[in-house]
Amino acid sequence: QVHLVESGGGLVQAGGSLRLSCAASGNIFSISAMGWYRQAPGKQREFVATITRGNSANYVGSVRGRFTISRDNAKNTVYLQMNSLKPEDTAVYYCNAGRVVSGNYYTDWGQGTQVTVSS
């Protein structure tokens, strides 16, 4: 299993930037991909971005061009650089890690970090 701890959330004005960090510990070598999800008040949790160990990245359309996901394997950390933030980006952001064991895919989640964007 993998333990994930997010940090870097906060309150920013529209158009501003934040960088989220997610530090992983535990069964690090089994991780094949890490990513970010978010949940806004009254809405379902949604996919934001993922990155594989080979640095292949995917984004939800609403953040493409504004957010950048990256990873530092030496630090076992994934980042989400968030630029040109909009009020609709306000949500709790959760880090996710995926791993494959004996053909099965497992996921682990962090506790979340609040991002609030004022208009």
Side-chain angles (χ1 to χ4, degrees):
Q1 66 187 112
V2 175
H3 180 62
L4 305 170
V5 179
E6 303 99 328
S7 62
L11 174 64
V12 297
Q13 189 170 272
S17 298
L18 282 174
R19 189 180 74 161
L20 306 183
S21 299
C22 175
S25 61
N27 193 7
I28 302 302
F29 298 123
S30 68
I31 297 175
S32 60
M34 295 182 68
W36 293 92
Y37 288 69
R38 66 186 181 186
Q39 187 167 22
K43 307 191 77 172
Q44 303 278 14
R45 186 175 299 188
E46 68 170 346
F47 162 80
V48 177
T50 57
I51 187 167
T52 67
R53 192 169 290 277
N55 287 329
S56 177
N58 292 291
Y59 302 90
V60 67
S62 59
V63 310
R64 191 172 293 113
R66 299 188 297 120
F67 292 8
T68 302
I69 188 170
S70 62
R71 67 190 302 165
D72 185 336
N73 290 331
K75 294 183 177 180
N76 300 317
T77 300
V78 65
Y79 305 94
L80 186 67
Q81 179 66 46
M82 309 165 68
N83 298 327
S84 301
L85 283 163
K86 304 175 180 179
E88 52 262 43
D89 294 319
T90 295
V92 177
Y93 283 70
Y94 297 91
C95 183
N96 164 269
R99 52 194 174 93
V100 179
V101 180
S102 299
N104 295 314
Y105 192 76
Y106 300 90
T107 59
D108 295 284
W109 296 89
Q111 81 284 358
T113 185
Q114 177 71 49
V115 171
T116 302
V117 184
S118 62
S119 60

